[in-house]
């Protein structure tokens, strides 16, 4: 069908998750026109409960985009985390070990702030775009087409940023022969519950237990986010609130189990765990960023942070291209991102292997896992290594 609405811009961004919206803001601040095209409604995008931990570099990127005011007021700065295993808790003090911290501020809030800034900037955003398709990104003038309210639209642009997540259309538009994919699917997922109850502790607790991994996280002083490891075959409907709280309590050390305040869940969902990287991240005038190019299991709290570092590299490359005609940032985009991505993949895989209960692990594997936990909490060098990866390696 012919397009009956045609526009043009410099950068067409597919996807209004944190990667797409942050890229849009960074480009807008740099004076580069852009459009964001999103398949879902804004309400749907805001209803997804996901990440909670921001690295310093992500906070800096949000500051550059001019969206850090509420984050500075409401975000909780955490100086460390706790590991719980064998009935005891062990604190890893990031601040003492490496002098850096992380900020607890939900992805939903990051997205809300980015949406508000975008609306204020007047840059166009199309929500509820159906049948989004990418064309001619291997030529000079790429185009993105979509259907909205029954009419076809076409956006001509200089570049396309594929920020449409793991199941998006951007990566799927690249011929399979042009990509190499690396993947590991874990035989379990995380069942997550959000509740308006005070967090069980001041910092996050990562618990390794023979019944499976558990994580106590939070969104504020009055809102908690908890997860328990479940087999990949589980459905959230099989988990009443009572069953969830009971299972969580059994995986925590006694003081935490006792301190746990329970209440009705306001969200309950299961996220599968996967490691995935698509190489390269650039195809002509199409750049993939965030979950569209790579997935990490959430154990290392790296997904959103990687999405942010990708789009900072991309925004810098595009700014140098438009400002000085300098192609180097764009030419090196894929290689620069992938170096960082693989380090985060390694750390996320390691944290996942360290803390989860693997169904096919034998007795030897269990002893090695216990020895590794024991070594970690007894070694300042090992704690420092965890700390520098968790707070985020330098860009
Ligand atoms: P998103 O957030 O998936 O956004 C992609 C957007 O693209 C839209 N889209 C399309 N738009 C147009 N046309 C199409 N054909 C489209 N197909 C899809 C989608 O509707 C969506 O709006 O990807 P993005 O922006 O790359 O952001 C990535 C992050 O969302 C993700 O990495 C993190 O949430 C991962 N993650 C965590 N990351 C952290 O850094 N710290 C954490 O503490 C953390 N915790 C988590 C997490 C992810 C989790 N789940 C649910 C997998 C905890 C969990 C449980
Ligand atoms: C979260 O609060 O949702 C969260 C925190 C830390 C993680 C993963 C998820 O490692």
């Amino acid at each position: 069908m012919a397009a009956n609405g045609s526009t043009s811009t410099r950068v067409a961004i597919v996807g209004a998750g944190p990667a797409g919206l942050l890229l849009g803001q960074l480009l807008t601040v740099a004076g580069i026109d852009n459009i964001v095209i999103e398949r879902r409604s804004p309400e749907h995008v805001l209803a997804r409960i996901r990440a909670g931990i921001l690295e310093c570099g992500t906070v800096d990127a949000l500051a550059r985009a001019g969206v850090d005011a509420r984050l500075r007021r409401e975000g909780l700065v955490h100086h460390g985390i706790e590991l719980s295993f064998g009935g005891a808790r062990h604190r890893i003090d990031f601040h003492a070990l490496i002098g850096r911290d992380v900020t607890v501020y939900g992805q939903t809030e990051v997205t809300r702030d980015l949406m508000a800034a975008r609306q204020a900037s007047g840059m166009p955003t199309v929500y509820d775009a159906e049948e989004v398709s990418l064309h001619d990104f291997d030529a000079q003038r790429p185009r993105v087409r979509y259907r909205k309210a029954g009419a076809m639209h076409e956006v001509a642009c200089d570049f396309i940023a594929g920020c449409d997540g793991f199941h998006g259309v951007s990566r799927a538009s690249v011929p399979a022969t042009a990509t190499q994919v690396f993947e590991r699917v874990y035989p379990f997922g995380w069942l997550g519950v959000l509740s308006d109850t005070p967090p069980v502790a001041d910092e996050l607790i990562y618990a390794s237990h023979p019944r499976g991994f558990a994580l106590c996280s939070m969104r504020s002083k009055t809102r908690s986010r908890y997860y328990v490891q479940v087999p990949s075959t589980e459905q959230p409907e099989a988990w009443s609130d009572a069953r969830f709280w009971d299972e969580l309590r059994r995986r925590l050390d006694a003081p935490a189990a006792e301190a746990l305040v329970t209440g009705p869940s306001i969200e309950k969902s299961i996220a599968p765990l996967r490691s995935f990287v698509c190489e390269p991240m650039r195809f002509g005038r199409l750049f993939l960023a965030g979950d569209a190019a790579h997935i990490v299991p959430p154990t290392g709290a790296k997904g959103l942070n990687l999405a942010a570092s990708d789009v900072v590299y991309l925004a810098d490359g595009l700014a140098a291209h438009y400002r000085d005609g300098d192609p180097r940032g764009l030419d090196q985009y894929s290689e620069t991102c992938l170096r960082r991505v693989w380090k985060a993949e390694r750390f996320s895989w390691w944290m996942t292997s360290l803390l989860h209960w693997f169904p096919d692990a034998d007795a030897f594997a269990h002893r090695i896992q216990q020895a590794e936990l024991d070594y970690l909490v007894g070694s300042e060098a090992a704690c420092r290594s965890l700390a520098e990866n968790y707070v985020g390696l330098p860009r």
Side-chain angles (χ1 to χ4, degrees), residues 50-53 190 204 206 215 217 219 225 227 298-301 390:
R50 289 186 170 175
I53 301 290
W190 282 13
L204 271 60
Y206 287 81
L215 171 61
S217 182
R219 290 291 175 273
R225 180 68 165 161
Y227 299 96
T299 330
Y390 193 96

Side-chain angles (χ1 to χ4, degrees), residues 59-70:
V59 173
D60 292 346
L62 293 166
R64 233 178 90 175
V67 290
D68 61 328
R70 193 161 68 96

Side-chain angles (χ1 to χ4, degrees), residues 32-245:
I32 300 169
D33 284 353
N34 61 89
I35 186 170
V36 172
I37 302 165
E38 162 65 46
R39 184 170 65 152
R40 304 287 196 171
S41 67
E43 297 74 29
H44 186 282
V45 171
L46 283 173
R48 292 190 292 235
I49 307 295
R50 289 186 170 175
I53 301 290
L54 307 183
E55 297 174 358
C56 309
T58 303
V59 173
D60 292 346
L62 293 166
R64 233 178 90 175
V67 290
D68 61 328
R70 193 161 68 96
L71 153 67
R72 306 270 183 203
R73 279 198 313 274
E74 296 177 16
L76 306 173
V77 175
H78 278 200
H79 302 309
I81 56 169
E82 294 197 279
L83 299 182
S84 166
F85 60 91
R89 284 224 298 274
H90 309 264
R91 179 157 191 263
I92 300 189
D93 186 336
F94 302 154
H95 203 82
L97 287 160
I98 54 165
R100 289 159 68 213
D101 311 291
V102 292
T103 303
V104 174
Y105 191 69
Q107 178 167 329
T108 314
E109 304 313 315
V110 171
T111 308
R112 203 186 301 282
D113 296 345
L114 285 164
M115 280 179 173
R118 185 159 186 94
Q119 198 168 14
S121 77
M123 277 291 169
T125 315
V126 181
Y127 284 99
D128 299 306
E130 297 167 73
E131 297 169 32
V132 177
S133 58
L134 282 56
H135 306 271
D136 296 339
F137 50 81
D138 49 356
Q140 277 307 304
R141 199 67 180 151
R143 289 167 297 122
V144 177
R145 304 183 86 202
Y146 61 93
R147 181 196 296 276
K148 169 101 188 194
M152 288 306 291
H153 299 261
E154 184 172 284
V155 180
C157 55
D158 299 337
F159 299 100
I160 302 175
C163 302
D164 48 351
F166 184 65
H167 300 287
V169 67
S170 299
R171 194 181 68 254
S173 305
V174 177
T177 48
T179 63
Q180 191 175 3
V181 159
F182 303 84
E183 186 167 30
R184 180 151 304 183
V185 178
Y186 301 87
F188 42 73
W190 282 13
L191 169 64
V193 156
L194 190 68
S195 69
D196 278 326
T197 51
V200 67
D202 292 338
E203 294 178 334
L204 271 60
I205 303 175
Y206 287 81
S208 179
H209 188 275
R211 294 184 66 85
F213 169 78
L215 171 61
C216 306
S217 182
M218 64 190 75
R219 290 291 175 273
S220 69
K221 301 265 186 210
T222 56
R223 181 168 284 191
S224 299
R225 180 68 165 161
Y226 295 107
Y227 299 96
V228 294
Q229 172 190 349
V230 293
S232 314
T233 47
E234 282 294 313
Q235 299 298 322
E237 298 74 40
W239 288 80
S240 65
D241 288 357
R243 183 177 175 205
F244 177 85
W245 294 122

